[in-house]
């Protein structure tokens, strides 16, 4: 029997076989995260609600195909949310939240809901911290690519920079984030 | 053609690994990099590490409390209303005076909205929804109706009414161009208009909950009216 202490994977497994109680627990666990991501990308509560509801419905429907070997439940759920938000922004030709604002909101949320911390795990907090230490132009490029799905060409056009510069900013930024994650992992292993 | 002895076979592709990990590499570059990664352990390992970090960037957004009624509407769409026990208690919920309260336009409003509603219903459940239009009798015995607030055919918010021994309603404005104090009125089946209360909207945005002094099942229409008497938005609840 599932309850609020069940792991994400256990809840998804329950949902995969039609366990409604598992779905209720899962929704209540993730609705803030899902709505929060959409809201951080759009600054529009109405769009965010539509996206968040659709994302959680898709998770409910596609729970049987989740493959834990390809990443965490959190990443899977939020990637679905991100993709739906990008689609919604394109369909409405809406202006997304500026990447600086997205990053600032994320970085200011260090004092977050304890439940979120459990869900996010260390890597998210590490990435958030590392993102704050990136040069602003690299941070923008990484957020544009990782969150808004912009290609290097689109980043170069949006930022009015050469394509090679855009590629370098994206690559260097992501590599720096990876280095930060590795440093934390090594520190933990030494303990 | 003679290979450059100073060029490592990975050099040509390693620059593309970050974009591949982010899912933004396209066309021939993507195809060529994938072929290389398939045969290069070092680059495959680096791609995996970069992908892990790239995925994590999406997870850094802070959680934000969804608008009032989000869960009810979602469970209704998912067909889970019967499976979802109502939220009956939140430690921070405290009894508040009856009345009205507007909520600011920042993301924090959602959390405040939940608190206000919880306070207003004095510990009652959040109710059950049966989707748009008139709801049926719920497990808790409360009638519920939910409808979109429309302005010139465009959705600008939502109204929900909740029954039981202590009826209440919520109004959210999310897409209007309204600023300032607005009034919420409900029209009952006998054609009488009842003023429910006033609240403030900022930048077209606001959320509010209050006791409903008429039977929710008698409410046919809800209107949001500007300070100059103009009807800004209408929701048909029957």
């Amino acid at each position: 029997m599932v309850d609020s202490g069940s792991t994400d994977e256990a809840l998804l497994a329950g949902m995969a076989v039609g366990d409604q109680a598992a779905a209720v627990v899962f929704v209540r666990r993730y609705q803030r995260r899902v709505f929060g991501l959409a809201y951080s990308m759009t600054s529009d509560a109405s769009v965010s609600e539509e996206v968040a509801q659709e994302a959680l419905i898709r998770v409910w429907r596609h729970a049987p195909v989740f493959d834990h070997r390809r990443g965490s439940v959190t990443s899977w759920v939020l990637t679905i949310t991100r993709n739906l938000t990008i689609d919604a922004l394109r369909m409405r030709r809406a202006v997304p939240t500026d990447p600086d604002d997205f990053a600032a909101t994320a970085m200011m949320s260090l004092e977050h809901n304890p439940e979120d911390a459990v869900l996010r795990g260390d890597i998210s907090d590490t990435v958030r911290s590392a993102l704050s230490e990136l040069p602003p132009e690299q941070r923008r490029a990484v957020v544009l690519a990782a969150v808004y799905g912009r290609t290097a060409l689109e980043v170069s056009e949006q930022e009015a920079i050469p394509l090679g510069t855009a590629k370098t900013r994206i690559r260097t930024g992501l590599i720096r984030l990876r280095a930060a994650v590795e440093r934390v992992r090594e520190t933990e292993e030494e303990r | 053609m003679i290979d450059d002895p100073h060029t490592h076979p990975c050099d040509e592709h390693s620059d593309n690994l970050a974009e591949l990990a982010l899912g933004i590499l396209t066309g021939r570059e993507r195809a060529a990099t994938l072929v290389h990664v398939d045969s290069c352990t070092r680059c495959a390992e680096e791609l995996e590490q970069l992908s892990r970090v790239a995925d994590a960037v999406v997870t850094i957004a802070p959680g934000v409390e969804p608008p009032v009624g989000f869960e009810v509407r979602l469970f209704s769409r998912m067909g889970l209303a019967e499976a979802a026990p109502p939220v009956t208690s939140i430690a921070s919920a405290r009894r508040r005076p009856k009345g009205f309260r507007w909520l600011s336009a920042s993301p924090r409003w959602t959390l405040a909205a939940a608190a206000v509603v919880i306070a207003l219903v004095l510990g009652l459940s959040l109710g059950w929804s049966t989707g748009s239009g008139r709801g049926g009798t719920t497990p808790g015995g409360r009638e519920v109706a939910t409808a979109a607030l429309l302005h010139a055919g465009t959705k600008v918010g939502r109204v929900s009414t909740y029954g039981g021994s202590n009826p209440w309603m919520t109004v959210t404005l999310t897409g209007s161009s309204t600023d300032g104090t607005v009034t919420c009125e409900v029209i009952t089946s006998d054609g009488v208009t009842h003023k429910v209360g006033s609240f403030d909207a900022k930048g077209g945005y606001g959320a509010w909950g209050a006791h409903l002094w008429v039977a929710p099942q008698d409410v046919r229409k809800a209107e949001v009216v500007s300070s100059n008497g103009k009807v800004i938005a209408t929701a048909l609840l029957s």
Side-chain angles (χ1 to χ4, degrees), chain B residues 89-114:
Chain B
S89 64
I90 290 183
S92 60
R94 290 192 294 270
R95 182 177 293 262
R96 287 178 183 231
K98 293 177 181 179
F100 313 105
R101 186 175 182 86
W102 77 272
L103 306 161
S104 75
S106 78
R108 288 186 297 273
W109 77 265
T110 48
L111 186 60

Side-chain angles (χ1 to χ4, degrees), chain B residues 102-126:
Chain B
W102 77 272
L103 306 161
S104 75
S106 78
R108 288 186 297 273
W109 77 265
T110 48
L111 186 60
V116 168
V117 170
I118 289 163
L120 283 167
V121 302
L122 309 176
L124 293 174
S125 78
L126 290 176

Side-chain angles (χ1 to χ4, degrees), chain B residues 5-16:
Chain B
H6 302 292
T7 302
H8 190 280
C10 294
D11 289 350
E12 184 184 346
H13 304 287
S14 60
D15 283 356
N16 290 330

